Amino acid sequence: MARIVVKKTNVKLVLSLRDRAALFGSGDWRKHANRGVIDAGRKTKTQVQRAVRQQMALKDGHYQSYVVDGTRGVPRQARLAYEIFGLAGGQRVEIYKGLRALKLSGAAAARFNSGRGGGDAGTVRSGVWNAPRVFKRSFATANGFFAMLPARAGGSGTAPRALWTFGAKPDQSRDAAGRFASSGIKYGKVRRLYGPALRKEIPKDASLATFLRVAPVELEQKVMKRLTPLMRF
């Protein structure tokens, strides 16, 4: 049986032999069946990991360090089950495909920002979730890719460091003492851009479809391989 289990904030894919246990008699079949469940779980976990990498549109070089290292496969012998789930959260947008900075005045930026107010327009494009998009209020600097939260979410009249520029600034207004004067602009807080989280992506979309397609077949094959010797007379 292949199913999804929700426990508090954790969502897991569960491969279970529980509903078929009544088909077998007494003896040490359970130990052998559990080994089969583990074999099936490990094979299924590999296929799920490959699917979720494509689903999240990760760049090459991040499969082992992010997907594999951030995924767990845990056997539950008492329930003849094998749980597959992710621990890792979203990573900086730099590790996802399709990342580029657009010119706000360009055609691509205008297309992706269509329908947005001027304050919501952004210039950072990414292919996360395999769906090219431009993040709202996003911008690129030499230090990375950022987005500004709406001023109503909390902020100040001081520009965040990510927006600072250097040089003479001849166009910046100054007060009577020659110091830079306030622009009167209310700035929201700035945060780095992050992509989808592994722990949220595993139990849905292509990853889930792969689990539901692979898990039942692997479960039957691997468990029967372990139990067949016990059925011989």
Side-chain angles (χ1 to χ4, degrees):
M1 180 176 68
R3 56 196 171 92
I4 305 174
V5 174
V6 180
K7 294 181 178 180
K8 295 183 179 178
T9 60
N10 295 326
V11 182
K12 303 176 181 179
L13 303 178
V14 180
L15 188 67
S16 176
L17 191 67
R18 183 190 60 193
D19 294 345
R20 301 187 185 184
L23 298 177
F24 303 96
S26 60
D28 64 349
W29 67 270
R30 194 177 189 86
K31 176 179 65 177
H32 296 279
N34 184 61
R35 290 173 181 170
V37 172
I38 293 174
D39 292 341
R42 288 174 175 170
K43 186 70 174 290
T44 301
K45 176 173 173 285
T46 297
Q47 297 301 314
V48 166
Q49 288 172 166
R50 291 173 178 171
V52 82
R53 173 185 59 181
Q54 298 296 326
Q55 176 177 311
M56 298 170 69
L58 288 174
K59 290 180 179 177
D60 293 340
H62 298 281
Y63 175 65
Q64 181 66 45
S65 61
Y66 178 58
V67 177
V68 176
D69 290 353
T71 305
R72 295 292 181 270
V74 180
R76 304 296 184 187
Q77 184 172 359
R79 294 186 286 116
L80 289 177
Y82 190 94
E83 298 178 354
I84 302 170
F85 56 96
L87 299 176
Q91 302 297 294
R92 289 186 179 182
V93 76
E94 285 87 340
I95 77 168
Y96 302 89
K97 295 179 180 178
L99 183 66
R100 59 180 296 197
L102 305 175
K103 291 184 178 180
L104 188 58
S105 58
R111 183 173 71 255
F112 281 105
N113 285 313
S114 177
R116 295 177 177 174
D120 282 338
T123 60
V124 178
R125 176 184 176 180
S126 177
V128 293
W129 295 284
N130 285 305
R133 58 178 290 179
V134 165
F135 293 93
K136 287 185 176 181
R137 300 176 298 279
S138 60
F139 57 93
T141 73
N143 295 318
F145 299 87
F146 302 85
M148 182 178 292
L149 297 176
R152 61 180 178 275
S156 70
T158 302
R161 188 179 184 86
L163 298 182
W164 290 3
T165 57
F166 300 89
K169 304 184 183 68
D171 298 328
Q172 174 106 15
S173 59
R174 296 174 180 270
D175 61 19
R179 297 170 299 188
F180 289 136
S182 172
S183 64
I185 298 174
K186 182 72 172 180
Y187 295 95
K189 295 179 180 179
V190 168
R191 62 174 176 81
R192 284 190 176 272
L193 288 177
Y194 284 81
L198 178 65
R199 64 171 178 263
K200 294 181 180 180
E201 292 295 308
I202 283 182
K204 65 181 184 181
D205 299 337
S207 175
L208 172 60
T210 297
F211 174 78
L212 295 176
R213 173 177 54 83
V214 173
V217 176
E218 290 296 330
L219 184 65
E220 182 173 359
Q221 291 179 350
K222 297 299 189 292
V223 171
M224 290 308 298
K225 181 179 179 180
R226 294 282 185 174
L227 294 181
T228 298
L230 302 180
M231 301 177 183
R232 293 173 183 164
F233 295 96

